[in-house]
Amino acid sequence: MGSLEGLQQKRFNTTLFQYLLIFAITIFLSGSLLHYYLTKKLITPIKDLIDATKQLKKGKYPSPAEETAQGEVGELVTHFNGLVRQLKAGDENRQKMIADLSHELRTPLTNLNGYLKALRDGDMEGNQALYDALHKEARHLTDMTEQIELLKEWGDMSSRVYTEYNEADMAEVIEQCAVMFQWKLEQEQLNIRVEVESCNMSIHRDGIRQVISNLIENAIYYYQGEGTISLKGTWVNGYYHVSVSGPGERIPEQDQDQDRIFERFYRGDAARSHKTGGGLGLAIAKEIIEQHNGRIGLTTDAFDNVFWFSLPVGRT
């Protein structure tokens, strides 16, 4: 029995060793496969990011990397794709801005050069009307330059926290803007009706003045027909709503629905003159209002165009 027990023990040890060997090999192979899978899952998005970075370095915008990874790597891929989209959009906007600016500057510069060359060569004689026209073109160029600088300033503000907001009474701000246009309204023989409610709120005073002034100037500049320009300010459901309305040429509905009227240098009709063409005033207004976490828009009917914006009263 003793020898039999020893033989059984030997067989048991051999069988146990075989099972342990099989188990160890299985664990090793499973661990290797799992390690390969996890490593590939981790390395692949990083390799894609490296390739995308190389393309970006060459000035090419890569296709978005697959956002299949989880955790920190997945978050890195998401942020990288967002950065590429932001850079691409910024580059497209810059190119569009340069093209639009070139288009806008070409006509007044051509006019100035043509008239000045004719005066220099003696092909025409100067008079008060001509000098007024030349001054108007020069003023147009100066205003455009100032607007570009202002638009750039507010565009830069949108990328950082801007803290120069102060308590102000919106009724006081609106009335001050209306007073500034009193002389111009008298010259144009136009009337303005101001109806405002008092409301203290935190705003960038100069920025909001710029918006209101742009809208009033827009109403005067495009005035057409008969009627009174109306400037209203009301406090409704936690928002302060400001509107400037006046009779003018009806703006197409597609331009209103898509907010294209607020694009830089947008022209609703390519055949329009400078008087009815695109500009930067409304684009600046939109930039400032969005910086205040507000909304801006346009509604129109058969008689009046109504430009409006709303600011949250409780904005922090």
Side-chain angles (χ1 to χ4, degrees), residues 30-230:
S30 300
S32 299
L33 292 174
L34 182 62
H35 179 267
Y36 173 77
Y37 172 75
L38 293 177
T39 302
K40 183 178 180 181
K41 188 176 181 180
L42 179 65
I43 295 298
T44 298
I46 295 179
K47 289 178 63 178
D48 291 341
L49 288 180
I50 293 174
D51 293 338
T53 304
K54 291 179 179 178
Q55 293 184 46
L56 198 60
K57 188 177 179 180
K58 295 178 180 178
K60 301 178 181 178
Y61 293 105
S63 301
E66 293 186 12
E67 300 179 10
T68 56
Q70 303 295 325
E72 288 79 3
V73 176
E75 186 176 356
L76 175 62
V77 173
T78 301
H79 286 303
F80 180 82
N81 288 338
L83 176 61
V84 172
R85 286 193 295 268
Q86 185 175 356
L87 290 174
K88 186 176 182 180
D91 190 35
E92 291 175 350
N93 288 334
R94 179 181 60 83
Q95 293 180 9
K96 184 178 184 299
M97 182 72 170
I98 293 174
D100 291 340
L101 183 59
S102 175
H103 176 77
E104 289 295 319
L105 292 176
R106 185 179 297 113
T107 299
L109 286 175
T110 300
N111 290 338
L112 284 173
N113 288 332
Y115 281 119
L116 292 174
K117 184 176 184 298
L119 288 171
R120 183 198 64 184
D121 296 340
D123 296 333
M124 65 184 304
E125 294 182 0
N127 54 57
Q128 188 63 42
L130 176 60
Y131 296 145
D132 288 342
L134 293 176
H135 179 265
K136 183 177 180 180
E137 291 293 350
R139 185 68 247 179
H140 177 68
L141 291 173
T142 302
D143 290 344
M144 189 181 301
T145 304
E146 292 174 352
Q147 287 182 334
I148 291 172
E149 185 62 30
L150 185 60
L151 184 61
K152 177 182 179 299
E153 178 183 345
W154 279 95
D156 291 341
M157 288 179 188
S158 63
S159 62
R160 64 178 186 272
V161 178
Y162 193 74
T163 57
E164 291 187 16
Y165 292 91
N166 299 299
E167 286 290 327
D169 187 350
M170 284 296 296
E172 179 183 344
V173 174
I174 295 172
E175 288 171 350
Q176 288 175 353
C177 292
V179 169
M180 288 192 302
F181 285 90
Q182 197 62 47
W183 182 84
K184 189 171 184 178
L185 288 165
E186 291 177 358
Q187 292 296 111
E188 299 288 339
Q189 297 182 346
L190 301 177
N191 296 319
I192 186 170
R193 182 175 64 251
V194 181
E195 300 176 5
V196 291
E197 295 179 2
S198 180
C199 178
N200 289 321
M201 54 190 300
S202 179
I203 60 172
H204 187 279
R205 187 186 290 263
D206 290 340
I208 296 302
R209 279 181 184 157
Q210 180 71 39
V211 174
I212 299 172
S213 297
N214 282 354
L215 297 184
I216 296 176
E217 186 173 18
N218 197 68
I220 297 173
Y221 198 63
Y222 296 105
Y223 186 92
Q224 181 177 308
E226 298 180 356
T228 301
I229 295 175
S230 178

Side-chain angles (χ1 to χ4, degrees), residues 266-278:
Y266 174 70
R267 292 177 181 273
D269 183 350
R272 290 179 176 181
S273 64
H274 278 292
K275 181 173 178 58
T276 56

